[in-house]
């Protein structure tokens, strides 16, 4: 296998054996064994897969709601002192996490490729983004003054403002960006002075389990971060627990709705980052070759398993023919393969379940008689591979147009007027992201003002900066992560009124 970095499956498996504690939860600063036969059936044994081959790489046991109880007590005990630490102390711990991740960069990349199937280059971007996020919130919290004076004009009253942590937080993350989604929640929560229970996705436990060792190595005070490898039972116990003050969830809308109702008990603060069906609009004046690169990056990165994937293409009628010719050729030249092969440009889906989801949409497309420009097939053999797929002239009533596939499927249509493009882009229950490809910046900015989305790329695709708040409108969620908004999500303001 061609791999210039020297990172191999065997090396990643060694990391798994040496640096990851399985059959355990990280509670109160210690690895607590998750005992066998807690449920007394086969669900006690949880397999972890290599999506590149479908091979079981390890088995582990998942936590139960009893572990949630212990972890909540630990987080609660730790809260009194952690919430009163100085901002510079908290920044020191965040920088220490970043430094430790940097030192173990290759190991974290290897675990991500092994357990998630990402191509090495994409896994490297993920680890770098997570590190940048810890550093960003270390700097942001250091810059926040304890007291700020609010102008009160003629009132004769002095008004001071300060911030307090929101409390004990339940952080729940999906499998598509392990470490990154965790960093988006954990970094601002710790910066704000919260203590947390973190539940990684049961599909991709390896990268987050290594985080437990990193926290021990930097002497993070006991109980501040508790990591619970678990599934729905643990997530439900966390989000409905009376001592949890805040729930931050990233995942599907189906589970997001459950989480919202679970968190309603006790009126918990909540942030939800949910699904998307984002549009990419290619205007008549766009550089067609470059536009095709943006389209491909926007849908086939991470095999389309991105909440912000620009999975609906709206292309101006005048450039349709030449664009589809180039797009088809570029898509068919993508190298699909094992994430450990450095030449791989698109890896497998994360799981057999996700592959089935994609297959279901191939079948729907066939039943709807959609016009397939390229792809539309599950790859025979081992691993969870589907071909990068493009359907053209897809009606807005198609299930593929309306529903989030979370796989490498692009649906396309054409427009003649900008107003029509905006109407089509906004015609979705989701409103997370969008891309506009145009040579006219002013015209594109005018479109930005009319498009419903929280994150809009102009002649760029899928770049995420820690400074830029992340989140959508409509059913794409509630609240924002990243940026200053991401810190506010874990703080409550306090106002003090006193005589001048
Ligand atoms: P999922 O909703 O199936 O699972 C997400 C997490 O919720 C997992 O950790 C899971 O164990 C947990 N969970 C399951 N049932 C629960 C319950 N009843 N209570 C509490 N937690 C529970 O999502 P997934 O398949 O892991 O991820 C894919 C989905 O995530 C897609 O819909 C995608 O759009 C969305 N997503 C959104 C963003 C964003 O920023 N908006 C980012 C990444 C993924």
């Amino acid at each position: 296998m061609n791999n210039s970095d020297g990172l191999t499956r065997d090396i990643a498996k060694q990391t798994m054996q040496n640096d990851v504690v399985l059959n355990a939860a990280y509670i109160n600063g210690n690895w607590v064994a998750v005992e066998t036969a807690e449920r007394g059936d086969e669900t006690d044994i949880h397999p972890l897969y290599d999506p590149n081959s479908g091979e079981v790489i390890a088995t582990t046991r998942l936590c139960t709601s009893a572990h949630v109880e212990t972890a909540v007590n630990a987080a609660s005990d730790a809260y009194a002192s952690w919430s009163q630490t100085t901002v510079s102390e908290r920044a020191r711990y965040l920088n220490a996490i970043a430094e430790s991740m940097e030192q173990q960069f290759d190991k974290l990349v290897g675990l991500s490729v092994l357990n998630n199937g990402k191509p090495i280059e994409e896994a490297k971007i993920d680890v770098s983004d997570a590190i940048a996020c810890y550093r960003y919130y270390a700097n942001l919290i250091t810059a926040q003054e304890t007291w700020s004076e609010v102008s009160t004009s003629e009132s004769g009253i002095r008004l001071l403002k300060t911030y307090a942590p929101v409390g004990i937080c339940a952080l729940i993350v999906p499998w598509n960006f392990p470490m990154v989604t965790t960093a988006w929640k954990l970094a601002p929560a710790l910066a704000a002075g919260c203590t947390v229970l973190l539940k990684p996705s049961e599909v991709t436990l390896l990268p987050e389990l290594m985080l437990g060792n990193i926290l021990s190595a930097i002497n993070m005070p006991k109980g501040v971060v508790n990591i619970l490898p678990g599934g729905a039972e643990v997530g439900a116990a966390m989000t409905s627990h009376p001592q949890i003050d805040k729930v931050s969830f990233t995942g599907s809308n189906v589970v997001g709705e459950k989480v919202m109702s679970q968190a309603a008990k006790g009126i918990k603060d909540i942030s939800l980052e949910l699904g998307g069906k984002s549009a990419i609009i290619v205007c008549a004046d766009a550089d067609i070759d470059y536009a095709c690169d943006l389209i491909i990056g926007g849908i086939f990165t991470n095999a389309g398993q991105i909440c912000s994937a620009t999975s609906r293409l709206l292309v101006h009628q005048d450039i349709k023919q030449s664009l589809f010719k180039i797009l088809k050729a570029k898509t068919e030249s993508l190298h699909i393969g094992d994430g450990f092969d450095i030449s791989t440009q698109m890896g497998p889906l994360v799981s057999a379940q996700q592959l089935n989801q994609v297959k279901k949409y191939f079948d729907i497309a066939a039943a709807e008689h959609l016009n397939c420009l390229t792809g539309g097939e599950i790859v025979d053999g081992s691993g969870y591979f589907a071909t990068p797929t493009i359907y053209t002239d897809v009606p807005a009533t198609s299930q593929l147009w309306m529903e989030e596939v979370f796989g490498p499927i692009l649906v396309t249509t054409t427009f003649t007027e900008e107003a029509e493009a905006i109407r089509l882009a906004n015609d979705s229950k989701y409103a997370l992201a969008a891309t506009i490809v145009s040579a006219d910046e002013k015209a594109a900015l005018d479109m930005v003002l009319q498009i419903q989305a929280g994150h809009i790329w102009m002649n760029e695709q899928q770049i995420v900066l820690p400074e830029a708040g992340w989140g959508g409108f409509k059913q794409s969620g509630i609240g924002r992560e990243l940026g200053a908004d991401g810190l506010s999500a874990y703080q409550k303001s306090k106002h003090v009124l006193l005589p001048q």
Side-chain angles (χ1 to χ4, degrees):
M1 191 176 291
N2 168 20
N3 179 359
S4 60
D5 274 357
L7 182 58
T8 63
R9 175 168 281 102
D10 285 346
I11 292 174
K13 281 186 175 174
Q14 267 169 33
T15 303
M16 180 177 73
Q17 267 143 27
N18 299 336
D19 297 86
V20 174
V21 182
L22 293 169
N23 300 309
Y26 186 73
I27 300 176
N28 207 22
N30 298 307
W31 287 106
V32 177
V34 177
E35 299 300 338
T36 189
E38 296 214 347
R39 289 185 193 80
D41 62 21
E42 71 282 356
T43 59
D44 261 341
I45 305 298
H46 178 74
L48 294 172
Y49 295 92
D50 175 352
N52 294 294
S53 62
E55 175 203 357
V56 174
I57 44 173
T59 61
T60 190
R61 286 189 291 274
L62 297 180
C63 294
T64 65
S65 44
H67 297 98
V68 174
E69 207 54 50
T70 319
V72 167
N73 288 336
S76 180
D77 290 346
Y79 185 73
S81 93
W82 180 255
S83 61
Q84 295 302 316
T85 45
T86 62
V87 290
S88 54
E89 260 179 276
R90 300 201 294 262
R92 193 166 54 77
Y93 283 109
L94 289 170
N95 281 324
I97 294 174
E99 203 175 311
S100 182
M101 288 181 77
E102 258 160 8
Q103 283 159 3
Q104 307 191 71
F105 190 89
D106 288 345
K107 289 182 175 181
L108 291 166
V109 169
L111 289 180
S112 187
V113 180
L114 182 65
N115 198 186
N116 194 287
K118 283 172 191 273
I120 287 176
E121 285 308 313
E122 288 185 23
K124 280 186 188 170
I125 294 172
D126 285 8
V127 182
S128 301
D129 282 357
I131 291 168
C133 183
Y134 289 107
R135 290 212 189 284
Y136 170 75
Y137 280 108
N139 290 335
L140 194 70
I141 197 66
T142 311
Q144 192 173 74
E145 302 283 349
T146 307
W147 297 106
S148 61
E149 188 126 12
V150 183
S151 163
T152 55
S153 60
E154 306 291 302
S155 69
I157 295 285
R158 230 179 124 203
L159 179 56
L160 299 177
K161 186 178 182 184
T162 190
Y163 291 98
V166 68
I168 303 168
C169 301
L171 311 181
I172 297 183
V173 296
W175 43 258
N176 60 335
F177 287 92
M179 285 178 288
V180 179
T181 321
T182 291
W184 290 13
K185 298 181 191 307
L186 185 58
L190 293 178
C194 300
T195 58
V196 312
L197 275 67
L198 166 69
K199 195 195 85 56
S201 164
E202 63 275 36
V203 181
T204 51
L205 288 173
L206 296 181
E208 264 89 357
L209 285 178
M210 197 166 154
L211 183 63
N213 290 344
I214 289 174
L215 296 170
S216 286
I218 66 160
N219 294 318
M220 176 63 80
K222 288 181 186 306
V224 173
V225 183
N226 304 278
I227 305 174
L228 302 173
E233 175 189 344
V234 170
M238 284 166 65
T239 52
S240 56
H241 197 287
Q243 276 171 271
I244 294 288
D245 301 295
K246 156 107 198 178
V247 171
S248 177
F249 170 85
T250 299
S252 63
N253 283 59
V254 172
V255 178
E257 284 182 12
K258 285 186 197 163
V259 165
M260 198 165 170
S261 72
Q262 286 155 196
K265 204 171 165 213
I267 320 291
K268 298 182 199 323
D269 193 324
I270 193 162
S271 300
L272 298 173
E273 293 293 343
L274 307 174
K277 191 75 190 181
S278 300
I280 176 166
I281 301 174
V282 182
C283 299
D285 60 1
D287 174 330
I288 294 178
D289 194 74
Y290 182 59
C292 288
D293 292 339
L294 298 182
I295 295 165
I296 286 173
I299 182 63
F300 300 133
T301 303
N302 209 28
Q305 303 162 117
I306 316 185
C307 51
S308 58
T310 40
S311 52
R312 292 184 298 145
L313 167 65
L314 315 175
V315 58
H316 196 282
Q317 177 71 29
D318 292 356
I319 56 168
K320 166 188 160 172
Q321 265 184 347
S322 39
L323 184 135
F324 281 134
K325 197 169 161 218
I326 298 172
L327 186 61
K328 179 172 166 30
K330 284 192 185 232
T331 300
E332 288 173 356
S333 73
L334 287 176
H335 184 245
I336 318 302
D338 189 315
F340 281 104
D341 185 337
I342 205 76
S343 61
T344 291
Q345 291 167 294
M346 193 184 98
L349 279 301
V350 76
S351 62
Q353 189 189 342
Q354 203 58 27
L355 189 68
N356 281 337
Q357 163 93 343
V358 170
K359 185 177 179 309
K360 181 187 99 180
Y361 281 100
F362 286 158
D363 294 344
I364 294 170
E368 290 184 353
H369 305 292
L370 295 186
N371 179 27
C372 186
L373 181 71
T374 185
E377 285 162 13
I378 300 298
V379 179
D380 284 341
S382 59
Y384 310 132
F385 292 93
T387 49
T389 300
I390 302 172
Y391 296 105
T392 54
D393 301 314
V394 178
T397 49
S398 162
Q399 261 180 273
L400 275 82
W401 186 266
M402 295 186 290
E403 296 172 12
E404 181 183 52
V405 175
F406 227 57
I409 300 182
L410 178 72
V411 290
T412 75
T413 193
T414 56
F415 66 91
T416 48
E417 301 293 331
E418 276 175 11
E420 189 188 358
I422 290 161
R423 186 187 55 73
L424 282 164
N426 288 342
D427 184 22
S428 171
K429 68 176 181 179
Y430 301 110
L432 183 56
T435 300
I436 302 172
V437 194
S438 167
D440 184 340
E441 186 178 305
K442 189 182 168 307
L445 282 172
D446 281 346
M447 292 172 83
V448 166
L449 294 176
Q450 300 169 69
I451 289 175
Q452 293 167 323
H455 217 82
I456 301 181
W457 294 282
M458 268 173 52
N459 301 326
E460 281 289 354
Q461 48 94 11
Q462 302 300 330
I463 291 173
V464 177
L465 299 176
E467 296 84 354
W470 182 267
F473 294 76
K474 300 199 256 184
Q475 293 185 35
S476 283
I478 296 175
R480 293 286 180 270
E481 298 197 294
L482 293 181
D485 293 348
L487 179 60
S488 304
Y490 294 93
Q491 292 183 316
K492 294 275 187 195
S493 62
K494 286 183 179 176
H495 288 87
V496 187
L497 294 89
L498 61 167
Q500 264 181 349

